[in-house]
Coordinates of all heavy atoms in Angstrom, one line a residue:
M39 N 0.8 -1.2 0.0 CA 0.0 0.0 0.0 C 0.9 1.2 0.0 O 1.9 1.3 0.7 CB -0.9 0.0 1.2 CG -1.9 1.1 1.3 SD -3.1 0.9 2.6 CE -3.7 2.5 2.7
G40 N 0.5 2.2 -0.8 CA 1.2 3.5 -0.9 C 0.9 4.4 0.3 O 0.3 4.1 1.3
Q41 N 1.3 5.6 0.1 CA 1.2 6.7 1.1 C -0.1 7.5 0.8 O -0.3 8.0 -0.4 CB 2.4 7.6 1.1 CG 2.3 8.7 2.1 CD 3.5 9.6 2.0 OE1 4.3 9.5 1.0 NE2 3.6 10.5 2.9
L42 N -1.0 7.7 1.8 CA -2.2 8.5 1.6 C -1.9 9.9 1.9 O -1.4 10.2 3.0 CB -3.3 7.9 2.5 CG -4.7 8.3 2.1 CD1 -5.1 7.7 0.7 CD2 -5.7 7.7 3.2
V43 N -2.0 10.9 1.0 CA -1.6 12.2 1.1 C -2.8 13.2 0.9 O -3.5 13.0 -0.2 CB -0.5 12.6 0.1 CG1 -0.1 14.1 0.3 CG2 0.7 11.7 0.3
K44 N -3.1 14.1 1.8 CA -4.1 15.1 1.5 C -3.7 16.1 0.4 O -2.6 16.6 0.5 CB -4.4 15.9 2.8 CG -5.5 16.9 2.7 CD -5.7 17.7 4.0 CE -6.6 18.9 3.8 NZ -6.7 19.7 5.0
V45 N -4.5 16.2 -0.6 CA -4.1 17.0 -1.8 C -5.0 18.2 -2.0 O -4.5 19.2 -2.7 CB -4.1 16.2 -3.1 CG1 -3.0 15.1 -3.0 CG2 -5.4 15.5 -3.3
A46 N -6.2 18.2 -1.5 CA -7.1 19.4 -1.7 C -8.3 19.3 -0.9 O -8.6 18.2 -0.2 CB -7.5 19.4 -3.2
K47 N -9.1 20.3 -0.9 CA -10.4 20.4 -0.3 C -11.4 20.1 -1.5 O -11.2 20.5 -2.6 CB -10.7 21.7 0.4 CG -9.9 22.0 1.5 CD -10.4 21.4 2.8 CE -9.8 21.9 4.0 NZ -10.2 21.1 5.2
V48 N -12.5 19.5 -1.1 CA -13.6 19.2 -2.2 C -14.0 20.5 -2.9 O -14.1 20.5 -4.1 CB -14.8 18.6 -1.5 CG1 -16.0 18.5 -2.5 CG2 -14.4 17.2 -1.0
D49 N -14.1 21.6 -2.2 CA -14.6 22.9 -2.9 C -13.5 23.5 -3.7 O -13.8 24.5 -4.4 CB -15.2 23.9 -1.9 CG -14.2 24.3 -0.8 OD1 -13.0 23.9 -0.9 OD2 -14.6 25.1 0.1
E50 N -12.3 23.0 -3.7 CA -11.2 23.5 -4.6 C -11.2 22.9 -6.0 O -10.5 23.3 -6.8 CB -9.8 23.2 -3.9 CG -9.6 24.0 -2.6 CD -8.3 23.6 -2.0 OE1 -7.7 22.6 -2.3 OE2 -7.8 24.4 -1.1
V51 N -12.0 21.9 -6.1 CA -12.1 21.2 -7.4 C -13.6 21.2 -7.9 O -14.3 20.3 -7.6 CB -11.6 19.7 -7.3 CG1 -11.5 19.1 -8.7 CG2 -10.2 19.7 -6.6
P52 N -14.0 22.2 -8.6 CA -15.4 22.3 -9.0 C -15.8 21.2 -9.9 O -15.0 20.6 -10.6 CB -15.4 23.6 -9.8 CG -14.2 24.4 -9.4 CD -13.2 23.4 -9.0
Q53 N -17.1 20.9 -9.9 CA -17.6 19.8 -10.7 C -17.3 20.0 -12.2 O -17.4 21.1 -12.7 CB -19.1 19.7 -10.5 CG -19.7 18.5 -11.2 CD -21.2 18.3 -10.7 OE1 -21.4 18.3 -9.5 NE2 -22.1 18.0 -11.6
G54 N -16.8 18.9 -12.8 CA -16.4 19.0 -14.3 C -15.1 19.6 -14.5 O -14.7 19.8 -15.7
Q55 N -14.3 19.9 -13.5 CA -13.0 20.5 -13.6 C -11.9 19.7 -12.9 O -12.2 18.6 -12.3 CB -13.0 21.9 -13.1 CG -13.9 22.8 -14.0 CD -13.9 24.2 -13.6 OE1 -12.9 24.7 -13.0 NE2 -14.9 25.0 -13.9
A56 N -10.7 20.2 -13.0 CA -9.5 19.5 -12.4 C -8.7 20.5 -11.7 O -8.7 21.7 -11.9 CB -8.7 18.7 -13.4
K57 N -7.8 20.0 -10.8 CA -6.8 20.7 -10.1 C -5.5 19.9 -10.2 O -5.6 18.7 -9.9 CB -7.2 21.0 -8.7 CG -6.1 21.8 -7.9 CD -6.5 22.0 -6.5 CE -5.4 22.8 -5.8 NZ -5.8 23.5 -4.6
V58 N -4.4 20.5 -10.6 CA -3.2 19.8 -10.7 C -2.4 20.1 -9.4 O -2.3 21.3 -9.0 CB -2.4 20.2 -11.9 CG1 -1.0 19.5 -11.9 CG2 -3.1 19.9 -13.2
V59 N -1.9 19.1 -8.7 CA -1.1 19.2 -7.5 C 0.2 18.4 -7.7 O 0.3 17.6 -8.5 CB -1.9 18.6 -6.3 CG1 -3.2 19.4 -6.1 CG2 -2.2 17.2 -6.4
E60 N 1.1 18.7 -6.8 CA 2.4 18.0 -6.8 C 2.5 17.2 -5.5 O 2.3 17.7 -4.4 CB 3.6 18.9 -7.0 CG 4.9 18.1 -7.1 CD 6.1 18.9 -7.4 OE1 5.9 19.8 -8.2 OE2 7.1 18.6 -6.9
V61 N 2.7 15.9 -5.6 CA 2.8 15.0 -4.5 C 4.1 14.2 -4.6 O 4.2 13.4 -5.6 CB 1.6 14.1 -4.3 CG1 1.7 13.1 -3.2 CG2 0.3 14.9 -4.2
N62 N 5.0 14.3 -3.7 CA 6.3 13.6 -3.7 C 6.9 13.6 -5.1 O 7.4 12.6 -5.6 CB 6.0 12.1 -3.3 CG 5.5 12.0 -1.9 OD1 5.8 12.8 -1.1 ND2 4.6 11.0 -1.7
G63 N 6.9 14.8 -5.7 CA 7.6 14.9 -7.1 C 6.7 14.5 -8.2 O 7.2 14.6 -9.4
L64 N 5.5 14.0 -8.0 CA 4.6 13.6 -9.1 C 3.5 14.7 -9.3 O 2.9 15.2 -8.4 CB 3.8 12.4 -8.7 CG 4.6 11.1 -8.5 CD1 3.6 10.0 -8.0 CD2 5.1 10.6 -9.9
A65 N 3.3 15.1 -10.6 CA 2.3 16.0 -10.9 C 1.0 15.2 -11.1 O 1.0 14.3 -12.0 CB 2.6 16.8 -12.2
I66 N 0.0 15.4 -10.3 CA -1.2 14.6 -10.3 C -2.4 15.6 -10.6 O -2.5 16.6 -9.9 CB -1.4 13.9 -9.0 CG1 -0.2 12.9 -8.8 CG2 -2.7 13.2 -8.9 CD1 -0.3 12.2 -7.5
A67 N -3.3 15.2 -11.5 CA -4.5 15.9 -11.7 C -5.7 15.3 -11.0 O -5.9 14.1 -11.0 CB -4.8 15.9 -13.2
I68 N -6.4 16.1 -10.2 CA -7.5 15.6 -9.4 C -8.7 16.1 -10.2 O -8.9 17.3 -10.4 CB -7.5 16.3 -8.0 CG1 -6.2 16.1 -7.3 CG2 -8.7 15.7 -7.2 CD1 -5.7 14.7 -7.1
F69 N -9.6 15.2 -10.6 CA -10.8 15.5 -11.4 C -12.1 15.3 -10.5 O -12.2 14.3 -9.7 CB -10.9 14.6 -12.6 CG -9.8 14.7 -13.6 CD1 -8.6 13.9 -13.5 CD2 -9.8 15.7 -14.6 CE1 -7.6 14.1 -14.4 CE2 -8.8 15.8 -15.5 CZ -7.7 15.0 -15.4
N70 N -13.0 16.2 -10.7 CA -14.4 16.1 -10.1 C -15.3 15.7 -11.2 O -15.7 16.6 -12.0 CB -14.7 17.3 -9.4 CG -16.1 17.3 -8.7 OD1 -16.9 16.4 -9.0 ND2 -16.4 18.2 -7.9
A71 N -15.7 14.5 -11.3 CA -16.6 14.0 -12.4 C -18.0 13.8 -11.7 O -18.3 12.7 -11.2 CB -16.1 12.7 -13.0
G72 N -18.8 14.8 -11.6 CA -20.1 14.7 -11.1 C -20.1 14.4 -9.6 O -21.0 13.6 -9.1
G73 N -19.1 14.8 -8.9 CA -19.1 14.5 -7.4 C -18.2 13.3 -7.1 O -18.0 13.0 -6.0
N74 N -17.8 12.6 -8.2 CA -16.8 11.5 -8.0 C -15.5 12.0 -8.3 O -15.3 12.6 -9.4 CB -17.2 10.3 -8.9 CG -18.5 9.7 -8.6 OD1 -18.8 9.4 -7.4 ND2 -19.3 9.5 -9.6
F75 N -14.5 11.7 -7.4 CA -13.2 12.3 -7.6 C -12.2 11.2 -8.1 O -12.3 10.0 -7.6 CB -12.7 12.9 -6.3 CG -13.4 14.1 -5.9 CD1 -14.6 14.1 -5.2 CD2 -12.9 15.4 -6.4 CE1 -15.3 15.2 -4.9 CE2 -13.6 16.5 -6.0 CZ -14.8 16.4 -5.3
F76 N -11.4 11.6 -9.1 CA -10.4 10.7 -9.7 C -9.1 11.4 -9.7 O -9.0 12.6 -9.7 CB -10.8 10.3 -11.1 CG -12.1 9.6 -11.3 CD1 -13.2 10.2 -11.5 CD2 -12.1 8.2 -11.2 CE1 -14.4 9.5 -11.6 CE2 -13.3 7.5 -11.3 CZ -14.4 8.2 -11.5
A77 N -8.0 10.6 -9.7 CA -6.6 11.2 -9.8 C -5.8 10.4 -10.8 O -5.9 9.2 -10.9 CB -5.9 11.1 -8.4
S78 N -5.1 11.2 -11.7 CA -4.3 10.6 -12.7 C -3.1 11.4 -12.9 O -3.0 12.6 -12.4 CB -5.1 10.5 -14.0 OG -5.1 11.7 -14.7
G79 N -2.1 10.9 -13.7 CA -1.0 11.7 -14.1 C -1.6 12.9 -14.9 O -2.6 12.9 -15.5
S80 N -0.8 14.1 -14.8 CA -1.4 15.3 -15.4 C -0.9 15.5 -16.8 O -1.2 16.6 -17.4 CB -1.0 16.5 -14.5 OG 0.4 16.7 -14.5
V81 N -0.1 14.6 -17.3 CA 0.5 14.8 -18.7 C 0.0 13.7 -19.6 O 0.0 12.5 -19.3 CB 2.1 14.7 -18.6 CG1 2.7 14.9 -20.0 CG2 2.6 15.9 -17.7
C82 N -0.5 14.1 -20.8 CA -1.0 13.1 -21.7 C 0.2 12.4 -22.3 O 1.2 13.0 -22.8 CB -1.7 13.9 -22.9 SG -2.3 12.8 -24.2
P83 N 0.2 11.0 -22.4 CA 1.3 10.3 -22.9 C 1.4 10.4 -24.4 O 2.4 9.9 -25.0 CB 1.0 8.8 -22.5 CG -0.5 8.8 -22.4 CD -0.9 10.2 -21.9
H84 N 0.5 11.0 -25.1 CA 0.6 11.1 -26.6 C 1.7 12.1 -27.0 O 2.6 11.7 -27.6 CB -0.8 11.6 -27.2 CG -0.7 11.9 -28.6 ND1 -1.0 13.1 -29.1 CD2 -0.3 11.1 -29.7 CE1 -0.9 13.1 -30.4 NE2 -0.4 11.9 -30.8
E85 N 1.6 13.3 -26.5 CA 2.6 14.3 -26.9 C 2.8 15.3 -25.7 O 3.0 16.5 -25.9 CB 2.3 15.1 -28.2 CG 2.6 14.2 -29.4 CD 2.5 15.0 -30.7 OE1 2.4 16.2 -30.7 OE2 2.6 14.3 -31.7
D86 N 2.7 14.8 -24.5 CA 2.9 15.6 -23.3 C 2.0 16.8 -23.1 O 2.3 17.8 -22.5 CB 4.4 16.1 -23.2 CG 5.3 14.9 -23.1 OD1 5.0 13.8 -22.6 OD2 6.5 15.1 -23.6
G87 N 0.7 16.6 -23.6 CA -0.3 17.7 -23.4 C -0.7 17.8 -22.0 O -0.5 16.9 -21.2
P88 N -1.3 18.9 -21.6 CA -1.7 19.2 -20.3 C -3.1 18.5 -19.9 O -4.1 19.1 -20.0 CB -1.9 20.7 -20.2 CG -2.3 21.1 -21.6 CD -1.6 20.1 -22.5
L89 N -3.0 17.2 -19.6 CA -4.2 16.5 -19.3 C -5.1 17.1 -18.2 O -6.3 17.0 -18.2 CB -3.8 15.0 -19.0 CG -4.9 14.0 -19.2 CD1 -5.4 14.0 -20.6 CD2 -4.3 12.6 -18.9
G90 N -4.4 17.7 -17.3 CA -5.1 18.4 -16.2 C -6.0 19.5 -16.6 O -6.9 20.0 -15.9
E91 N -5.8 20.0 -17.9 CA -6.7 21.0 -18.5 C -7.7 20.5 -19.4 O -8.4 21.2 -20.1 CB -5.8 22.0 -19.2 CG -4.8 22.8 -18.3 CD -3.9 23.7 -19.1 OE1 -4.1 24.0 -20.3 OE2 -2.9 24.1 -18.5
G92 N -7.8 19.1 -19.4 CA -8.7 18.4 -20.4 C -10.1 18.6 -20.0 O -10.5 19.1 -18.9
V93 N -11.0 18.2 -20.9 CA -12.4 18.2 -20.7 C -12.9 16.9 -20.2 O -12.5 15.8 -20.7 CB -13.1 18.6 -22.1 CG1 -14.6 18.5 -22.0 CG2 -12.7 19.9 -22.6
L94 N -13.8 16.9 -19.3 CA -14.4 15.7 -18.7 C -15.6 15.3 -19.5 O -16.5 16.1 -19.8 CB -14.7 15.8 -17.3 CG -13.6 15.8 -16.3 CD1 -14.1 16.0 -14.9 CD2 -12.9 14.4 -16.3
D95 N -15.7 14.0 -19.8 CA -16.9 13.4 -20.4 C -17.3 12.2 -19.6 O -16.7 11.1 -19.8 CB -16.7 13.0 -21.9 CG -17.9 12.5 -22.6 OD1 -19.0 12.5 -22.0 OD2 -17.7 11.9 -23.7
G96 N -18.1 12.4 -18.5 CA -18.3 11.4 -17.6 C -17.1 11.2 -16.8 O -16.5 12.1 -16.2
D97 N -16.6 9.9 -16.7 CA -15.3 9.6 -16.0 C -14.2 9.4 -17.0 O -13.3 8.6 -16.8 CB -15.5 8.4 -15.1 CG -16.1 7.2 -15.8 OD1 -16.2 7.2 -17.0 OD2 -16.4 6.2 -15.1
V98 N -14.3 10.1 -18.1 CA -13.2 10.1 -19.2 C -12.7 11.5 -19.3 O -13.5 12.5 -19.3 CB -13.8 9.6 -20.5 CG1 -12.8 9.8 -21.6 CG2 -14.2 8.1 -20.4
V99 N -11.4 11.7 -19.4 CA -10.8 13.0 -19.7 C -10.3 13.0 -21.1 O -9.7 12.0 -21.6 CB -9.7 13.3 -18.6 CG1 -8.5 12.4 -18.7 CG2 -9.2 14.8 -18.8
V100 N -10.5 14.1 -21.8 CA -10.1 14.3 -23.2 C -9.0 15.4 -23.2 O -9.2 16.5 -22.7 CB -11.2 14.7 -24.1 CG1 -10.8 14.9 -25.5 CG2 -12.4 13.7 -24.0
C101 N -7.8 15.0 -23.7 CA -6.7 15.9 -23.7 C -7.0 17.1 -24.7 O -7.5 16.9 -25.8 CB -5.4 15.2 -24.2 SG -4.0 16.3 -24.3
P102 N -6.7 18.3 -24.2 CA -7.1 19.5 -25.0 C -6.2 19.7 -26.3 O -6.6 20.4 -27.2 CB -6.9 20.7 -24.1 CG -5.9 20.2 -23.1 CD -6.2 18.7 -22.9
W103 N -5.1 19.0 -26.3 CA -4.2 19.2 -27.5 C -4.7 18.4 -28.7 O -4.8 19.0 -29.8 CB -2.8 18.8 -27.2 CG -2.0 19.9 -26.4 CD1 -2.6 21.0 -25.8 CD2 -0.7 19.9 -26.1 NE1 -1.6 21.8 -25.2 CE2 -0.4 21.1 -25.4 CE3 0.4 19.1 -26.4 CZ2 0.9 21.4 -24.9 CZ3 1.6 19.4 -26.0 CH2 1.9 20.6 -25.2
H104 N -4.9 17.1 -28.6 CA -5.1 16.3 -29.8 C -6.3 15.4 -29.6 O -6.6 14.5 -30.4 CB -3.9 15.5 -30.1 CG -2.7 16.3 -30.4 ND1 -1.6 16.4 -29.6 CD2 -2.4 17.1 -31.5 CE1 -0.7 17.2 -30.1 NE2 -1.2 17.7 -31.2
G105 N -7.1 15.5 -28.5 CA -8.3 14.8 -28.4 C -8.2 13.3 -27.9 O -9.1 12.6 -27.9
F106 N -7.0 12.9 -27.5 CA -6.8 11.6 -26.9 C -7.5 11.5 -25.6 O -7.4 12.5 -24.8 CB -5.3 11.3 -26.7 CG -4.6 10.9 -28.0 CD1 -4.4 11.8 -29.0 CD2 -4.2 9.5 -28.2 CE1 -3.8 11.4 -30.2 CE2 -3.6 9.2 -29.4 CZ -3.4 10.1 -30.4
D107 N -8.3 10.4 -25.4 CA -9.1 10.4 -24.1 C -8.7 9.1 -23.3 O -8.3 8.1 -23.9 CB -10.6 10.4 -24.4 CG -11.0 9.4 -25.5 OD1 -10.2 8.7 -26.0 OD2 -12.2 9.4 -25.7
F108 N -8.9 9.3 -22.0 CA -8.5 8.3 -21.1 C -9.5 8.0 -20.0 O -10.1 9.0 -19.5 CB -7.2 8.7 -20.4 CG -6.0 8.9 -21.4 CD1 -5.9 10.2 -21.9 CD2 -5.2 7.9 -21.8 CE1 -4.9 10.4 -22.9 CE2 -4.2 8.1 -22.7 CZ -4.1 9.3 -23.3
D109 N -9.8 6.8 -19.7 CA -10.7 6.3 -18.7 C -10.0 6.6 -17.3 O -9.0 6.1 -17.1 CB -11.0 4.9 -18.9 CG -12.1 4.4 -17.9 OD1 -12.2 4.8 -16.8 OD2 -12.9 3.5 -18.3
L110 N -10.7 7.4 -16.5 CA -10.1 7.8 -15.2 C -10.1 6.7 -14.2 O -9.5 6.7 -13.2 CB -10.7 9.1 -14.7 CG -10.3 10.3 -15.5 CD1 -11.2 11.5 -15.0 CD2 -8.9 10.6 -15.4
K111 N -10.9 5.6 -14.5 CA -11.0 4.5 -13.5 C -9.8 3.6 -13.6 O -9.3 3.1 -12.6 CB -12.3 3.7 -13.8 CG -13.6 4.4 -13.5 CD -14.8 3.6 -13.7 CE -14.8 3.1 -15.1 NZ -15.8 3.5 -16.0
N112 N -9.2 3.5 -14.8 CA -8.1 2.6 -15.0 C -6.9 3.1 -15.8 O -5.9 2.4 -16.0 CB -8.6 1.2 -15.6 CG -9.3 1.5 -17.0 OD1 -9.0 2.5 -17.7 ND2 -10.2 0.6 -17.3
G113 N -7.1 4.3 -16.3 CA -6.0 5.0 -17.1 C -5.9 4.6 -18.5 O -5.0 5.1 -19.3
E114 N -6.7 3.7 -19.0 CA -6.6 3.2 -20.4 C -7.0 4.2 -21.4 O -8.0 4.9 -21.2 CB -7.5 1.9 -20.5 CG -7.0 0.8 -19.7 CD -7.8 -0.5 -19.9 OE1 -8.7 -0.5 -20.7 OE2 -7.5 -1.5 -19.2
G115 N -6.2 4.2 -22.5 CA -6.5 5.1 -23.6 C -7.6 4.6 -24.4 O -7.6 3.4 -24.8
L116 N -8.6 5.4 -24.8 CA -9.7 5.0 -25.6 C -9.4 5.2 -27.1 O -9.9 4.4 -27.9 CB -11.0 5.7 -25.2 CG -11.4 5.5 -23.7 CD1 -12.6 6.3 -23.4 CD2 -11.5 4.1 -23.3
V117 N -8.7 6.2 -27.5 CA -8.3 6.4 -28.8 C -7.2 5.4 -29.2 O -7.2 4.8 -30.3 CB -7.8 7.9 -29.1 CG1 -7.2 8.1 -30.5 CG2 -9.0 8.8 -28.9
D118 N -6.2 5.3 -28.4 CA -5.1 4.4 -28.6 C -4.8 3.5 -27.4 O -4.3 4.0 -26.4 CB -3.8 5.2 -28.9 CG -2.6 4.4 -29.3 OD1 -2.7 3.1 -29.1 OD2 -1.6 4.9 -29.7
P119 N -5.3 2.3 -27.4 CA -5.1 1.4 -26.2 C -3.7 1.2 -25.8 O -3.4 0.7 -24.7 CB -5.7 0.1 -26.7 CG -6.6 0.4 -27.8 CD -6.0 1.6 -28.5
E120 N -2.7 1.5 -26.7 CA -1.3 1.4 -26.3 C -0.9 2.5 -25.3 O 0.2 2.4 -24.6 CB -0.4 1.5 -27.5 CG -0.7 0.4 -28.6 CD -0.1 -0.9 -28.1 OE1 1.0 -1.0 -27.5 OE2 -0.9 -1.9 -28.3
L121 N -1.6 3.6 -25.2 CA -1.3 4.7 -24.3 C -2.1 4.6 -23.0 O -3.3 4.2 -23.1 CB -1.6 6.0 -25.0 CG -0.8 6.3 -26.2 CD1 -1.3 7.7 -26.8 CD2 0.7 6.4 -25.9
K122 N -1.5 4.8 -21.9 CA -2.1 4.8 -20.6 C -1.6 5.9 -19.8 O -0.5 6.3 -19.9 CB -1.8 3.5 -19.9 CG -2.8 2.4 -20.0 CD -2.5 1.2 -19.1 CE -3.4 1.2 -18.0 NZ -3.6 -0.1 -17.4
V123 N -2.4 6.4 -18.9 CA -2.0 7.3 -17.9 C -2.0 6.6 -16.5 O -2.9 5.8 -16.3 CB -2.8 8.6 -17.8 CG1 -2.7 9.4 -19.1 CG2 -4.3 8.3 -17.5
P124 N -1.1 7.0 -15.6 CA -1.2 6.4 -14.3 C -2.4 6.9 -13.5 O -2.7 8.1 -13.7 CB 0.1 6.9 -13.6 CG 0.6 8.1 -14.4 CD 0.0 7.9 -15.8
V125 N -3.0 6.1 -12.8 CA -4.2 6.5 -12.0 C -3.9 6.2 -10.5 O -3.1 5.2 -10.2 CB -5.5 5.9 -12.4 CG1 -5.9 6.4 -13.8 CG2 -5.4 4.4 -12.4
Y126 N -4.4 6.9 -9.6 CA -4.1 6.8 -8.2 C -5.5 6.7 -7.4 O -6.4 7.4 -7.7 CB -3.3 8.0 -7.7 CG -2.1 8.2 -8.5 CD1 -2.1 9.1 -9.5 CD2 -0.9 7.5 -8.3 CE1 -0.9 9.4 -10.3 CE2 0.2 7.7 -9.1 CZ 0.2 8.6 -10.1 OH 1.3 8.8 -10.8
P127 N -5.5 5.8 -6.4 CA -6.7 5.7 -5.6 C -7.0 7.1 -4.9 O -6.1 7.7 -4.4 CB -6.4 4.6 -4.6 CG -5.3 3.8 -5.2 CD -4.5 4.8 -6.0
V128 N -8.3 7.4 -4.8 CA -8.7 8.7 -4.2 C -9.7 8.3 -3.0 O -10.5 7.4 -3.1 CB -9.5 9.6 -5.1 CG1 -10.0 10.8 -4.4 CG2 -8.5 10.0 -6.3
K129 N -9.5 9.0 -1.9 CA -10.4 8.9 -0.8 C -10.8 10.2 -0.3 O -10.0 11.2 -0.2 CB -9.6 8.2 0.4 CG -10.5 7.9 1.6 CD -9.7 7.1 2.6 CE -10.6 6.7 3.8 NZ -9.8 6.0 4.8
V130 N -12.2 10.4 -0.1 CA -12.7 11.7 0.4 C -13.2 11.4 1.8 O -14.0 10.5 2.0 CB -13.8 12.2 -0.5 CG1 -14.4 13.5 0.0 CG2 -13.4 12.4 -2.0
E131 N -12.6 12.3 2.7 CA -13.1 12.2 4.1 C -13.5 13.6 4.5 O -12.7 14.5 4.5 CB -11.9 11.8 5.0 CG -11.6 10.3 4.9 CD -10.5 9.9 5.9 OE1 -10.0 10.8 6.7 OE2 -10.2 8.7 5.9
G132 N -14.8 13.7 4.7 CA -15.4 15.1 5.0 C -15.2 15.9 3.8 O -15.6 15.6 2.7
S133 N -14.5 17.1 4.0 CA -14.2 18.0 2.9 C -12.8 17.8 2.3 O -12.4 18.6 1.5 CB -14.5 19.4 3.3 OG -13.6 19.7 4.4
D134 N -12.1 16.8 2.8 CA -10.7 16.6 2.3 C -10.6 15.5 1.3 O -11.2 14.5 1.4 CB -9.8 16.2 3.5 CG -9.7 17.4 4.6 OD1 -9.7 18.5 4.2 OD2 -9.6 17.0 5.8
I135 N -9.7 15.8 0.3 CA -9.4 14.8 -0.7 C -8.0 14.2 -0.5 O -7.1 15.0 -0.4 CB -9.5 15.4 -2.1 CG1 -10.9 16.0 -2.4 CG2 -9.2 14.3 -3.2 CD1 -10.9 16.8 -3.7
Y136 N -7.9 12.9 -0.5 CA -6.6 12.2 -0.3 C -6.3 11.4 -1.5 O -7.3 10.8 -2.1 CB -6.7 11.3 0.9 CG -6.8 12.0 2.2 CD1 -8.1 12.4 2.7 CD2 -5.7 12.3 3.0 CE1 -8.2 13.1 3.9 CE2 -5.8 13.0 4.2 CZ -7.1 13.3 4.7 OH -7.2 14.0 5.9
V137 N -5.1 11.3 -1.9 CA -4.6 10.4 -3.0 C -3.6 9.5 -2.4 O -2.7 9.9 -1.7 CB -4.0 11.3 -4.1 CG1 -3.4 10.4 -5.2 CG2 -5.1 12.1 -4.8
E138 N -3.7 8.2 -2.9 CA -2.7 7.2 -2.5 C -1.6 7.2 -3.6 O -1.9 6.9 -4.7 CB -3.3 5.9 -2.3 CG -2.4 4.8 -1.8 CD -3.0 3.5 -1.7 OE1 -4.2 3.4 -1.1 OE2 -2.4 2.5 -2.1
T139 N -0.4 7.5 -3.2 CA 0.7 7.5 -4.1 C 1.7 6.3 -3.8 O 1.7 5.8 -2.7 CB 1.5 8.8 -4.0 OG1 2.1 9.0 -2.7 CG2 0.7 10.0 -4.4
P140 N 2.4 5.9 -4.9 CA 3.3 4.8 -4.7 C 4.4 5.1 -3.7 O 4.8 6.2 -3.5 CB 3.8 4.5 -6.1 CG 3.4 5.6 -6.9 CD 2.4 6.4 -6.2

């Protein structure tokens, strides 16, 4: 099991948006998909686009640069299954958001 780290407050990540945080040297995007929180790497593996600035479609994030999309539950690429983003377990306790990092 990894380390559970407090990364944000629930009200800091509006519904349908993301917040990029740094945890132990990792840039992690925290997404609010309809009140469900997800965490993934903040860089698109296609061409290093800013995935944390992507558009949410349910629990899928679409990179703003070239439209590559990733399932936030497992990190799998939907446009190109060869591409994946790291995903991290999220826990919400009260108004605090925690991410488990390796």
Side-chain angles (χ1 to χ4, degrees):
M39 183 171 164
Q41 178 184 11
L42 203 58
V43 178
K44 180 180 168 185
V45 293
K47 295 275 192 189
V48 168
D49 62 2
E50 294 176 343
V51 188
Q53 188 166 312
Q55 295 185 23
K57 176 179 180 162
V58 177
V59 298
E60 187 173 319
V61 179
N62 300 329
L64 294 172
I66 297 175
I68 311 300
F69 296 93
N70 181 344
N74 295 312
F75 291 88
F76 297 92
S78 79
S80 68
V81 177
C82 178
H84 172 240
E85 287 191 4
D86 298 331
L89 204 54
E91 296 175 16
V93 175
L94 283 176
D95 182 9
D97 53 8
V98 170
V99 62
V100 181
C101 181
W103 281 10
H104 301 109
F106 281 70
D107 51 358
F108 301 89
D109 186 324
L110 290 170
K111 293 182 302 251
N112 56 27
E114 292 181 5
L116 303 178
V117 171
D118 183 349
E120 297 289 318
L121 298 178
K122 264 187 109 157
V123 293
V125 293
Y126 307 96
V128 174
K129 182 177 186 179
V130 177
E131 287 185 359
S133 62
D134 296 326
I135 303 170
Y136 295 85
V137 171
E138 185 178 317
T139 60

